[in-house]
Amino acid sequence: MADQGARYLHGFHAIASRLRTAPDSILELFIAMGRQDARMRDLLERAESAGVRIIATEGSRLDGMAGTHRHQGVVARVDGKQRDIKLDDVLDTLTEKALLLVLDGVQDPHNLGACLRVADAAGAHAVIAPKDRAVGLNATAIKVASGAADTVPYITVTNLARSLREMQEAGVWCLGAAGEATKSLYEIDQTGPVAWVLGAEGDGLRRLTRETCDELAKIPMLGTVESLNVSVASGICLFEARRQRGMVSA
């Protein structure tokens, strides 16, 4: 049923966000037959206002579209062709000092989705990742992101080290998160333009990525575990930058 020009979004958060930010990209909205609760009625009202074609269907068909993931009774078929967002597109339009999240080869779509959600919450201006040896923005990542995949620019680059150098040339300080660093992230001034660079699950930053960063910093670990999930670490780093800038809401 799927075609190369389309992909599926599933779950209320992801679909409601797409209706809000890019309703024209939704080709069809499939809903579970007989579901008429308030949440569904609200989503259908938005879809109808946007002129989206709505199709009531059996749960088994929704299961097939969503695969192993929970769809909550709603699946949208959306235009899979997206305009490639460039780093310059983001940097050239900023009205405040840059706050970027760079992910060096994250392989787990759940981690990528959680990182996007954290980036949205912290007000990061973009998430940057390599095209190769990384999971990519698939349906699982989009669902876990709970709408953040549509609000935070996700930029894929061919050469991550080169992109880090481009950020540096634009005045962005590239901070690599590394457990063996001598400095704590709380010791580093993050009030200027900053890109936090975090590595993949288990392996951490690749050598060239690590060497390209302006500085390495660690998250102080007081317990017995040696590392944190990349999305948790991303949140700590990004929100420390926001705290230093005095821009975190109570």
Side-chain angles (χ1 to χ4, degrees), residues 12 52 55 60 74 90 95 117 148 150 165 177 193 202 223 233 249:
F12 281 96
V52 174
I55 302 172
S60 58
V74 287
V90 174
T95 57
R117 191 169 182 175
D150 291 315
R165 289 191 288 269
S249 301

Side-chain angles (χ1 to χ4, degrees), residues 176-190:
E180 71 276 11
T182 57
K183 279 189 177 181
S184 159
L185 82 162
Y186 302 116
E187 300 175 68
I188 296 176
D189 183 357
Q190 300 177 49

